[in-house]
Amino acid sequence: MMSLLVVAAIVISVALGYKTKINIGLFAIAFAYLIGCFGMGLSPSDIINMWPLKIFFIIFSVCLFYSFATVNGTLEKLAEHLIYTCRAFPQLLPFAVFATAGAIAAMGAGYYTVLAFMAPITLLLCERTGMSLILGGMAVNYGALTGANFVSSQSGIIFRGLMTGAGISENDAFINAFGIFLSTLVIPLVVISAFVFLTGHGKSMKNSSFVATPPSPLNREQRITLWLTLAMMAMVLAAPIAHIALPDNATVTFINSKMDIGLIASLFSVIALLLKLGDERKAMASVPWSTLIMICGVGMLISVAIKAGTIDILASWIGSTIPPVLVPLVFGIIAAIMSIFASTLGVVTPALFPIVPPIAATMGIEPMVIFIAIVVGAQATSISPFASGGSLILGSCTSEQSRTALFPQLLFKAAPIGFVAALVFNVLLTFVY
């Protein structure tokens, strides 16, 4: 009975957030308190301790450092330079848009931030180069998703935190997160390549008269910010990779044990402030506070669900009902449906990731396969005009006419193509493993 109540609370939180536009995390905190304290006999301190402090600290620290690149214009300037390099090969412009959005998101800008300033640029390029709106929209959306999924970027960090919270070791979480990144890199490249080389999109862009003006060079603050960002990414990646390659080396093991991306990002934030790379108040304001509250609030409600035994019941049901070969596919479909109405980072992955380890252990499936299936499925429908990605792209249209033309393309072409591509990938992934 209590498990059904918790599940209903999660659904109601999402529905209320969608209807009222109030942060879902706030509803989740309220339900966690009411159900946990008055329904399950937990103390208020128990509920407060369910706040995922580690995930909160890591996301806050990393986003604070990366926000300097947004505040001082480094990311925008980088986008201009990367797109300019493609001026001689207009038919490759979708790949340039994808790579640009991906690189900027991987540097920590996050999915929504990248779309906010890359979508208008991309749609403007569509008008000037003959690139179709649907191809441009898919390229920028896929790029922002892929880059954000990088192991040291916003989504990648959240995935790693959720996995370790579900009982996965730090090393395995790193490997799983890298698998998610590679998977969400392969799918877009295949889809975009099919558009460019197997349809008329590439030919129309090749015959276009695309004129690109040279961007201005990076200033002092932007150059230093870029080098600091690359240095931090290198530090964060070097230690776990070295430990995976040399697991018995005592020195590597010691260094890896002292590495924490949240603390490293905090150190680099101090360096950025001392070097005056951006205004502290603007950088602090750029931290995605609403996303943080949503992730942590839902995390509290998920912790209540774990206490109530909801996760074990759901894992047992899936384990006894669905054949092992179909488990990743089913998880991908569930995640895709959920993400139409709810955030991948704030709701879908916090709700589904804790189920993965017990199901994987019971059915003899590699956990990474299910983790990948969940993320691939959840992000497949993000370009729907009803989802956050599609709505941001529609909002970036320069005219009502282009917005009206793009809406059905996103709903009836882009979203179904992404969904089918995700299903095919999850099926192939299941048979490979």
Side-chain angles (χ1 to χ4, degrees), residues 263-348:
L263 295 172
I264 293 171
S266 299
L267 176 63
F268 274 77
S269 292
V270 173
I271 295 172
L273 287 169
L274 291 174
L275 294 175
K276 301 186 184 304
L277 300 183
D279 184 274
E280 180 185 355
R281 288 173 296 180
K282 290 181 179 179
M284 197 70 73
S286 296
V287 173
W289 294 108
S290 60
T291 301
L292 270 171
I293 293 169
M294 180 169 60
I295 291 168
C296 295
V298 173
M300 291 177 71
L301 190 52
I302 296 298
S303 295
V304 171
I306 293 172
K307 281 277 188 183
T310 308
I311 303 301
D312 293 334
I313 293 172
L314 185 56
S316 175
W317 177 80
I318 292 176
S320 61
T321 307
I322 301 171
V325 72
L326 295 179
V327 168
L329 184 64
V330 170
F331 266 102
I333 294 172
I334 292 172
I337 295 171
M338 288 176 67
S339 71
I340 295 175
F341 308 101
S343 164
T344 298
L345 299 179
V347 177
V348 180

Side-chain angles (χ1 to χ4, degrees), residues 48-350:
I48 293 172
N49 288 335
M50 289 178 179
W51 179 268
L53 185 61
K54 184 176 181 180
I55 292 177
F56 175 87
F57 175 73
I58 290 174
I59 299 173
F60 163 73
S61 302
V62 172
C63 290
L64 177 61
F65 169 67
Y66 284 144
S67 65
F68 287 98
T70 303
V71 169
N72 64 23
T74 301
L75 297 180
E76 188 173 354
K77 190 62 65 66
L78 188 63
E80 294 174 4
H81 278 270
L82 290 176
I83 290 176
Y84 180 71
T85 59
C86 193
R87 65 194 183 281
F89 306 97
Q91 71 272 26
L92 299 182
L93 190 59
F95 295 99
V97 170
F98 171 78
T100 302
I104 294 171
M107 291 175 66
Y111 173 63
Y112 300 108
T113 304
V114 172
L115 275 188
F117 77 86
M118 276 296 295
I121 296 173
T122 302
L123 296 183
L124 183 62
L125 286 171
C126 288
E127 294 180 6
R128 294 180 179 178
T129 65
M131 180 167 60
S132 68
L133 290 173
I134 183 174
L135 180 54
M138 293 185 74
V140 69
N141 186 68
Y142 268 140
L145 287 171
T146 301
N149 289 343
F150 192 58
V151 290
S152 63
S153 192
Q154 189 181 111
S155 301
I157 292 166
I158 293 170
F159 297 151
R160 287 166 62 186
L162 292 172
M163 282 186 262
T164 54
I168 304 295
S169 68
E170 291 280 356
N171 270 357
D172 287 343
F174 180 88
I175 295 171
N176 293 342
F178 199 75
I180 290 172
F181 166 70
L182 288 179
S183 301
T184 54
L185 174 64
V186 170
I187 295 172
L189 289 176
V190 172
V191 173
I192 294 172
S193 297
F195 262 99
V196 173
F197 300 113
L198 301 181
T199 67
H201 292 82
K203 186 176 180 180
S204 64
M205 286 184 290
K206 187 175 182 179
N207 296 331
S208 67
S209 54
F210 173 39
V211 179
T213 56
S216 58
L218 278 70
N219 60 31
R220 169 194 169 273
E221 289 78 12
Q222 292 166 345
R223 288 196 304 272
I224 296 175
T225 301
L226 181 58
W227 283 113
L228 276 180
T229 302
L230 294 175
M232 197 196 88
M233 291 174 68
M235 284 184 63
V236 168
L237 295 174
I241 290 174
H243 185 60
I244 292 169
L246 304 167
D248 299 323
N249 188 295
T251 303
V252 171
T253 301
F254 173 78
I255 293 174
N256 185 54
S257 68
K258 302 300 180 183
M259 290 290 117
D260 180 88
I261 188 169
L263 295 172
I264 293 171
S266 299
L267 176 63
F268 274 77
S269 292
V270 173
I271 295 172
L273 287 169
L274 291 174
L275 294 175
K276 301 186 184 304
L277 300 183
D279 184 274
E280 180 185 355
R281 288 173 296 180
K282 290 181 179 179
M284 197 70 73
S286 296
V287 173
W289 294 108
S290 60
T291 301
L292 270 171
I293 293 169
M294 180 169 60
I295 291 168
C296 295
V298 173
M300 291 177 71
L301 190 52
I302 296 298
S303 295
V304 171
I306 293 172
K307 281 277 188 183
T310 308
I311 303 301
D312 293 334
I313 293 172
L314 185 56
S316 175
W317 177 80
I318 292 176
S320 61
T321 307
I322 301 171
V325 72
L326 295 179
V327 168
L329 184 64
V330 170
F331 266 102
I333 294 172
I334 292 172
I337 295 171
M338 288 176 67
S339 71
I340 295 175
F341 308 101
S343 164
T344 298
L345 299 179
V347 177
V348 180
T349 48

